[in-house]
Amino acid sequence: METTTAVDTGQRKNQIWAFIVTGIMILISFAYYKVNVYYMYLIAYIWFGFAYGMMLQYGRFCFASASRDLFAAGVPRMAVGILVALTFFSLIQATLASTNMSTFHPAPFGIHTLISGLIFGVGMVLAGGCASGSLYKIGEGNGTSFLAAFFGLCIGQAVFVDVTWFNFLVPQKWVDAAVVNAAARNIPVEKMTSSFDTYLAGYVWNQPTLQLSHTKAISEALPGAAKYFIGDSLLNALIPAALLLIVIYAFYSRKGFMKKRAKAKGGATGFGDEIAGIWNMITASKRTTIMGVIIGIVAGLHIFVMKGMQIKFGVANFGELLTRMGHAADTSIKGTVFDPGYWYITSQEGQLGGWILDKLGWNMRDNIFFGVNNGLPDPWRNPALWMSLGIVFGAMVMARLSNEFKFKLPKGELIVWGLMGGILMGVGSRPALGCNIGAFFIRVAGGDPSGWLYGTGMVGGAFIGVKFFNWWSERKMAKEMEAF
Amino acid sequence: MAMKFEKKGDGTYLLDVCGYVCPHPQIYAKKSLEKMSEGDIVEIILDNPSSVETIAQMCDQVGHDVMDKKTEGGKIYLKIKKG
């Protein structure tokens, strides 16, 4: 009886906390609206972030888990969830693109995307979560994820884009090209000081962008909306996702399923059983798969709403609204701030890190990333950062409602893994201009093949990370078993 | 903080991975099950909700039986029989 009462009290406490957090978010939203109607733009980011946070936590939706759990435990749950989300998101993306309501833009395509994904992939395994996964896990009270996000994605990323430590990696031809490209874009030399600036202006800006619907072959063969549905969605997302599902089934699920099936039928199995096996794999973790569907739809809706906001206020970037409200100092020299118009994770955390370092006296505006492109708004006026905070608080509410919230301070080896992983994720998200969400999920669904390049890198990095942890845990298990 | 893998008796084991976050609980769960014989039972104690889904699906695929699952005071207790 006592135990039941304690459980009830704990549940009630968690529910009260869930209501308090939700209430605070509502109050914050009203306060912003009261200050200026332009903050509707920022409020939209808050609540989409909140929704992402709830869905990520409920579905245990983590991109690190997708490849890591395949390699470490042979479990395809998360890989399936992501491919399902991708399928739905790509169809909505195509619908939005065909009605001119998409904010999607492809990224420069090159080997840097693969390398960047590889670094990020190792980092996400060490940190115990990808960029979005780390945020939802912070909402669950996970201190290791906080270390990874704060010191890696925030501070690490900001330092990375501002230092000259990597000049030894920069060839002279990039330096020369950077000068030409910067002059062509009227970028003052004092805003181009870091190694990353030279890489960006001298190399990345010279790389081609690719979106299948915009290629000559597809846009000529398929005029109108068909090019988005067939080029961007079917060819770039749906067919590769279906093929990947079949490969994952063949390597990880088929054997166990067919064994059970053969036993149940008492005889040979056929093609119908293979189809049943694929369906069984997709529905094995209903909460993940269902969340995959909903996340895909919400991510599409997010694009629609942000485009609607831009049309309503007659802007293309929130920086214009900040300027109208008298906060021009928040923006870059182009008058912009980081405002992706869709689900994105890492750049805004870099802005938070940059803002903190700037306040501590480190000039963070003398680079392209903050000074020219993304600005350095105060955190409370940073729309994309509010999306990240929304993810944390949305996940916190869901974790509280499920009685899964627990403060866990990072201890021992987890401090090392969290810091190392976070820094690798921070560094790995910059060269490709995005992370598991911005560089993989959004791009693949938008018809940009560079998303698959980043995803391939991530999977390769996860494989390396899992190999390392397998070796590490084997050592510890052997030590424990000495006593047997 | 340290993980604990103990032999509690004949064919029964305890794996305590409280405090650990992904991917450690699932890796240790897999490795401990690999070290055991068919029919042996392990009780796993963890406090990382995300790992539970993965461990449950791993057991389903390989043929281990999740005999019991309960949550108390933020900790999750799984009892698994190796199949």
Side-chain angles (χ1 to χ4, degrees), chain A residues 225-422:
Chain A
K227 64 175 177 283
Y228 298 111
F229 285 96
I230 294 176
D232 293 344
S233 183
L234 184 68
L235 293 179
N236 199 60
L238 301 187
I239 291 175
L243 290 174
L244 273 175
L245 280 175
I246 292 168
V247 169
I248 291 169
Y249 167 71
F251 280 95
Y252 294 98
S253 280
R254 185 177 181 274
K255 196 177 163 192
F257 179 81
M258 293 309 255
K259 199 174 157 187
K260 277 188 219 164
R261 198 79 165 183
K263 200 174 169 187
K265 288 175 88 172
T269 52
F271 183 69
D273 297 301
E274 302 285 3
I275 300 295
I278 293 173
W279 182 247
N280 178 69
M281 179 183 78
I282 292 172
T283 54
S285 177
K286 288 187 179 56
R287 65 193 294 162
T288 301
T289 304
I290 290 169
M291 279 305 124
V293 174
I294 301 175
I295 285 173
I297 295 169
V298 171
L301 190 64
H302 187 184
I303 293 180
F304 177 74
V305 169
M306 296 323 298
K307 184 72 179 178
M309 289 276 175
Q310 290 177 358
I311 292 169
K312 177 178 169 55
F313 295 125
V315 297
N317 183 281
F318 187 65
E320 295 170 58
L321 296 180
L322 281 171
T323 304
R324 283 186 207 170
M325 291 188 285
H327 300 300
D330 284 353
T331 68
S332 69
I333 57 168
K334 291 196 297 189
T336 54
V337 292
F338 180 64
D339 173 17
Y342 40 71
W343 191 13
Y344 220 94
I345 303 288
T346 44
S347 295
Q348 59 266 40
E349 272 119 63
Q351 283 180 305
L352 176 62
W355 182 84
I356 291 169
L357 294 173
D358 200 61
K359 292 292 171 202
L360 292 173
W362 184 330
N363 182 5
M364 276 284 154
R365 294 170 192 271
D366 60 346
N367 57 59
I368 292 175
F369 188 74
F370 296 123
V372 178
N373 286 340
N374 297 315
L376 216 48
D378 286 331
W380 48 93
R381 284 194 298 269
N382 185 333
L385 185 61
W386 268 111
M387 174 164 57
S388 294
L389 291 172
I391 292 175
V392 172
F393 291 118
M396 188 179 286
V397 166
M398 187 52 93
R400 288 281 187 187
L401 290 174
S402 321
N403 298 309
E404 291 177 345
F405 180 88
K406 190 183 175 192
F407 275 120
K408 275 192 289 184
L409 289 175
K411 291 178 190 165
E413 64 184 275
L414 293 186
I415 296 175
V416 179
W417 306 141
L419 288 173
M420 277 175 61

Side-chain angles (χ1 to χ4, degrees), chain A residues 190-225:
Chain A
E190 66 269 20
K191 292 287 182 193
M192 203 175 68
T193 55
S194 70
S195 312
F196 185 72
D197 289 341
T198 313
Y199 158 81
L200 201 61
Y203 168 74
V204 175
W205 289 352
N206 283 344
Q207 303 310 305
T209 58
L210 184 59
Q211 186 176 5
L212 293 191
S213 59
H214 288 58
T215 54
K216 198 165 179 275
I218 290 178
S219 59
E220 280 177 5
L222 301 162

Side-chain angles (χ1 to χ4, degrees), chain A residues 474-483:
Chain A
E474 195 61 51
R475 279 175 66 239
K476 292 185 80 171
M477 288 295 284
K479 209 172 172 187
E480 289 290 299
M481 290 177 72
E482 280 171 4

